[in-house]
């Protein structure tokens, strides 16, 4: 009899549960248009949830047995919330219906605030709505860099080394890939204040880098290949000097190459600023994986409209923008104003913000630039920051204030170099004139890069200063380097579903 009871219990358990760790994957589409819905919120409970990617795809792992009462709750701004039972879950597409707002509810909630009154309440709320205190944030971060060589020409005008000729240079240029992508993914816990410039500590739980150094599209890659060629042909005790302002070792501009064409004071300051910015970024990278990534993530947490110094300053400089209440909607049970903004004259951004009608916090903003953010041209070197667009979504955290839940940003830059290049071989043991050989020509390069960053915060807990000080970092944590995308690497972890470019990543095999 006892055996029969145990058998019956186990039979019932198999009916109402599945194994203790299950991954559910699907795609979210608009029921009316059949288009993917990005940034949909897929929630299992208060501690387990993910965001759909650009293509509406998601994958969520539940680390306990599933019961007959368990469901996924899928919600998104402007759509009806839906619930999916998990016990008989299939990978079928999930369709969300556009949500119709009840006009009576609008009139009851709206209170007929003008756009000027709403903007003033948003500004007043900056002091109380957004968190600057200590908190522990469990998060997933992904950075993808895509580079393309739009133009690459080197014309040899003179060479006293027969082996270094136009044919060799053309062959070298053809060998270097014109397109490249690399990706960094990190799951970790960030400790510290939300306030800008505050010290942060990080516990990296797991990290990887998909990187193909041999095919990186950058000028340093070309520099290495040119160096290898010149070293092959210089004489013993010789060295060579490159004058172009191109290579990373000679970033300063040798103005003697340009006769009377001298940069003015303002151009010199712009050049110094550009180089200082690059050196700062390089030094941060060299400081170590953990230090660089935690500083970058903390910068993202503050890279938005709350800061008066930020580029996305449409609230602080509201007089320079036109605003219009376009609609009303629901977002995670919040009633929100849908307000568009665009520049009156020369400001840089346009977009849409979603404002909680209860506390006047901006809970989401979609933005894109309408003008290049930066244009730089000096003595054949040009740089244009032509793209900055993204979405920022906020949520109420463990401190009962708003902080970033999800952020997706794309930043585009185009760098061009069109100027003469001179390579001079000198020998330190030759008396008098040390010059031995010379290669002279012109270079014309244009390289475009897109940097895409994604950040999702799964959980935010209040933290005391004592807790922060007591936490000890492991400073030498390094990512695992992968030569191709491995779907098993993040198995069992909740992350943002990778896009097709990441799934297809594979490093080139170099002989």
């Amino acid at each position: 009899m006892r055996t029969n009871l145990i058998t019956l219990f186990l039979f019932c358990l198999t009916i109402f549960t599945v194994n203790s760790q299950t991954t559910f994957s699907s795609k979210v589409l608009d029921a009316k248009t059949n288009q993917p819905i990005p940034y949909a919120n897929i929630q299992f409970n208060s501690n387990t949830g993910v965001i759909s990617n650009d293509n509406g795809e998601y994958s969520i792992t539940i680390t306990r047995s599933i019961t007959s009462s368990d469901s996924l709750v899928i919600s998104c701004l402007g759509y009806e919330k839906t619930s999916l039972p998990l016990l008989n879950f299939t990978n079928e597409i999930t369709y969300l219906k556009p949500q119709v707002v009840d006009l009576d509810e609008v009139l009851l909630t709206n209170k007929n605030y003008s756009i000027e009154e709403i903007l003033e309440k948003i500004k007043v709320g900056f002091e109380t709505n957004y968190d600057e205190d200590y908190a522990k944030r469990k998060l997933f971060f992904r950075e993808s860099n895509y580079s393309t060589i739009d133009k690459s020409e080197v014309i040899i005008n003179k060479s006293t080394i027969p082996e270094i000729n136009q044919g060799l240079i053309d062959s070298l240029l053809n060998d270097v890939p014109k397109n490249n992508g690399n990706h960094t993914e990190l799951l970790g816990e960030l400790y510290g204040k939300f306030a800008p410039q505050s010290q942060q500590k990080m516990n990296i739980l797991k990290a990887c880098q998909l990187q193909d150094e041999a095919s990186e599209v950058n000028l340093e890659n070309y520099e290495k290949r040119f160096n290898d060629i010149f070293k092959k042909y210089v004489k013993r005790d010789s060295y060579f000097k490159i004058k172009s302002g191109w290579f990373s070792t000679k970033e300063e501009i040798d103005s003697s190459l340009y006769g009377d064409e001298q940069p003015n004071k303002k151009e010199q300051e712009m050049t110094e600023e550009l180089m200082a910015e690059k050196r700062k970024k390089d030094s941060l990278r060299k400081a170590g994986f953990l230090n660089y990534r935690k500083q970058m993530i903390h910068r993202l947490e503050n890279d938005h409209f709350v800061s008066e110094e930020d580029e996305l300053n449409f609230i602080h400089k509201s007089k320079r923008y036109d605003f219009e209440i376009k609609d009303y909607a629901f977002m995670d049970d919040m009633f929100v104003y849908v307000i568009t903004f665009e520049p009156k004259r020369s400001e840089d951004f346009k977009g849409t913000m979603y404002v909680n009608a209860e506390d006047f916090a901006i809970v989401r903003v979609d933005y894109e630039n309408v003008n290049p953010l930066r244009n730089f041209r000096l003595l054949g070197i040009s740089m244009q920051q032509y793209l900055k667009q993204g979405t920022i979504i906020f949520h109420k955290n463990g401190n009962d204030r708003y902080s970033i839940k999800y952020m997706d940003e794309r930043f585009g830059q185009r760098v061009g170099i069109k100027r003469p290049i001179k390579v001079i071989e000198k020998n330190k043991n030759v008396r008098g004139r040390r010059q031995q050989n010379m290669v002279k020509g012109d270079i014309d390069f244009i390289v475009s890069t897109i940097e895409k960053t994604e950040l999702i915060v799964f959980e935010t807990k209040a933290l005391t200063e004592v807790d922060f000080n007591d936490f000890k970092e492991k400073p030498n944590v390094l990512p695992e380097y992968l030569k191709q995308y491995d779907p098993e690497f993040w198995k069992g972890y909740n992350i943002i579903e990778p896009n097709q470019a990441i799934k297809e990543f594979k490093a080139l095999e170099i002989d």
Side-chain angles (χ1 to χ4, degrees):
M1 181 69 177
R2 183 178 179 183
T3 303
N4 290 337
L5 288 173
I6 294 174
T7 303
L8 180 62
F9 172 77
L10 292 175
F11 175 74
C12 293
L13 190 64
T14 59
I15 291 177
F16 292 104
T17 66
V18 293
N19 59 38
S20 59
Q21 178 171 296
T22 312
T23 298
F24 302 91
S25 301
S26 189
K27 190 173 183 177
V28 187
L29 298 183
D30 185 306
K32 188 175 181 180
T33 66
N34 242 24
Q35 293 300 307
I37 301 178
Y39 320 132
N41 188 32
I42 296 90
Q43 203 71 29
F44 176 67
N45 56 35
S46 59
N47 297 325
T48 306
V50 294
I51 298 282
S52 63
N53 67 8
D54 294 349
N55 202 36
E57 300 164 330
Y58 71 87
S59 183
I60 184 169
T61 298
I62 311 301
T63 57
R64 67 159 175 79
S65 296
I66 302 301
T67 68
S68 58
S69 62
D70 287 330
S71 298
L72 288 183
V73 177
I74 302 181
S75 61
C76 189
L77 176 69
Y79 291 90
E80 292 182 6
K81 186 183 296 185
T82 189
S83 182
L84 299 179
L86 287 180
L87 195 58
N88 297 312
F89 183 91
T90 64
N91 290 345
E92 293 180 3
I93 291 172
T94 302
Y95 291 94
L96 295 186
K97 297 179 181 179
Q99 188 172 34
V100 178
V101 177
D102 189 334
L103 289 178
D104 291 335
E105 193 167 0
V106 171
L107 293 173
L108 182 66
T109 310
N110 184 19
K111 297 180 183 177
N112 294 320
Y113 287 119
S114 68
I115 190 66
E116 290 77 15
E117 290 172 320
I118 293 173
L119 291 171
E120 187 58 34
K121 288 179 178 294
I122 291 172
K123 293 175 184 178
V124 172
F126 279 167
E127 295 294 326
T128 56
N129 280 331
Y130 298 94
D131 200 354
E132 290 199 346
D133 292 333
Y134 285 99
K136 171 185 173 183
R137 294 87 83 193
K138 185 175 182 180
L139 56 86
F140 175 78
F141 167 80
R142 175 184 289 136
E143 179 188 23
S144 297
N145 289 280
Y146 305 94
S147 299
T148 301
I149 295 181
D150 300 318
K151 186 175 186 180
S152 58
E153 291 183 358
V154 177
I155 305 300
I156 300 298
N157 298 321
K158 179 180 179 181
S159 174
T160 59
I161 304 175
E163 294 84 357
I164 301 179
N165 52 46
Q166 191 66 53
L168 176 67
I169 297 301
D170 291 343
S171 174
L172 171 66
L173 295 176
N174 289 331
D175 284 345
V176 178
K178 299 297 186 290
N179 299 283
N180 175 263
N182 62 75
H183 315 276
T184 299
E185 299 178 327
L186 180 154
L187 182 70
E189 298 167 329
L190 191 63
Y191 296 73
K193 281 187 172 184
F194 285 103
Q197 308 301 323
S198 56
Q199 182 186 2
Q200 303 293 305
K201 297 180 181 180
M202 176 171 275
N203 177 28
I204 295 179
L205 302 173
K206 194 175 178 71
C208 69
Q209 283 192 335
L210 298 168
Q211 189 169 2
D212 186 2
E213 294 183 356
S215 65
E216 279 193 14
V217 178
N218 55 40
L219 298 181
E220 286 79 5
N221 203 318
Y222 279 101
E223 176 187 4
K224 181 180 182 302
R225 297 188 181 216
F226 274 112
N227 283 348
D228 291 342
I229 290 175
F230 288 121
K231 286 178 181 176
K232 182 177 179 180
Y233 295 109
V234 297
K235 300 179 179 64
R236 184 177 180 179
D237 298 326
S238 287
Y239 62 96
F240 59 90
K241 183 178 181 182
I242 301 174
K243 291 185 177 183
S244 74
W246 168 23
F247 297 126
S248 60
T249 53
K250 295 289 181 184
E251 285 177 336
E252 70 278 2
I253 295 174
D254 187 348
S255 59
S256 63
L257 295 175
Y258 303 96
D260 296 330
E261 186 181 4
Q262 299 293 328
N264 60 35
K265 185 177 181 181
K266 184 177 180 180
E267 289 173 333
Q268 287 178 321
E269 290 174 353
M270 290 172 64
T271 305
E272 291 168 3
E273 181 185 348
L274 180 66
M275 297 308 179
E277 187 177 310
K278 185 179 185 301
R279 284 193 294 268
K280 182 179 179 181
K281 192 170 183 178
D282 289 343
S283 66
L284 285 174
R285 288 184 185 276
K286 293 175 183 178
F289 182 78
L290 183 144
N291 284 331
Y292 178 66
R293 292 302 167 187
K294 73 182 180 184
Q295 290 182 50
M296 184 175 190
I297 293 170
H298 185 52
R299 179 186 61 79
L300 286 174
E301 289 183 316
N302 291 278
D303 187 17
H304 52 72
F305 52 84
V306 175
S307 170
E308 197 168 351
E309 304 301 322
D310 194 76
E311 290 177 321
L312 195 64
N313 55 9
F314 61 93
I315 294 296
H316 289 288
K317 296 183 178 180
S318 58
K319 292 182 179 180
R320 302 183 184 183
Y321 287 84
D322 285 322
F323 296 85
E324 184 179 355
I325 300 175
K326 283 287 189 180
D327 206 347
Y328 307 91
F330 286 97
M331 177 178 173
D332 295 335
D333 298 323
M334 292 180 292
F335 181 73
V336 299
Y337 299 96
V338 181
I339 301 175
T340 59
F341 59 91
E342 58 182 34
K344 290 180 179 178
R345 291 178 292 276
S346 60
E347 293 302 316
D348 295 326
F349 293 94
K350 69 175 182 179
T352 303
M353 63 176 171
Y354 303 84
V355 182
N356 188 341
E358 183 177 343
D359 55 18
F360 295 92
I362 299 175
V363 292
R364 172 171 169 167
V365 61
D366 303 321
Y367 61 91
E368 61 179 301
N369 64 301
V370 294
N371 298 307
L373 301 179
R374 190 174 181 183
N375 268 314
F376 172 87
R377 184 178 296 274
L378 175 64
L379 300 180
I381 298 178
S382 63
M383 188 269 288
Q384 183 187 61
Q385 295 176 353
Y386 67 91
L387 174 68
K388 185 173 182 179
Q389 64 180 41
T391 292
I392 309 172
I393 300 174
F394 293 82
H395 69 152
K396 276 281 184 78
N397 61 35
N399 288 337
D400 199 32
R401 290 191 176 187
Y402 291 96
S403 59
I404 288 178
K405 178 179 182 178
Y406 180 76
M407 185 174 191
D408 181 322
E409 183 175 84
R410 292 170 179 82
F411 178 80
Q413 180 171 278
R414 189 175 293 110
V415 176
I417 297 175
K418 186 176 183 179
R419 62 189 304 163
I421 180 172
K422 185 188 296 183
V423 183
I424 303 170
E425 178 194 350
K426 295 187 176 183
N427 191 292
K428 59 186 178 181
N429 292 327
V430 176
R431 292 183 178 180
R433 192 164 179 242
R434 295 182 175 182
Q435 181 172 318
Q436 303 295 294
N437 285 294
M438 180 179 70
V439 177
K440 188 177 179 181
D442 296 287
I443 59 175
D444 191 354
F445 275 73
I446 300 176
V447 180
S448 297
T449 61
I450 296 281
E451 181 182 288
K452 175 178 169 63
T453 54
E454 295 176 274
L455 174 67
I456 180 171
V457 180
F458 300 111
E459 184 181 7
T460 305
K461 290 184 177 180
L463 195 70
T464 67
E465 186 175 1
V466 173
D467 292 334
F468 172 77
N469 291 330
D470 287 345
F471 175 73
K472 304 298 181 186
E473 285 183 325
K474 297 177 182 177
N476 298 319
V477 177
L478 292 174
E480 184 173 338
Y481 289 89
L482 304 178
K483 290 187 175 181
Q484 67 181 60
Y485 171 72
D486 181 5
E488 296 295 312
F489 185 84
W490 290 111
K491 188 175 182 180
Y493 293 89
N494 287 320
I495 64 167
I496 304 167
E497 188 70 4
N499 59 29
Q500 199 62 30
I502 297 174
K503 291 179 180 178
E504 294 176 354
F505 177 90
K506 186 176 181 181
L508 296 174
E509 295 295 333
I510 305 297
D511 295 331

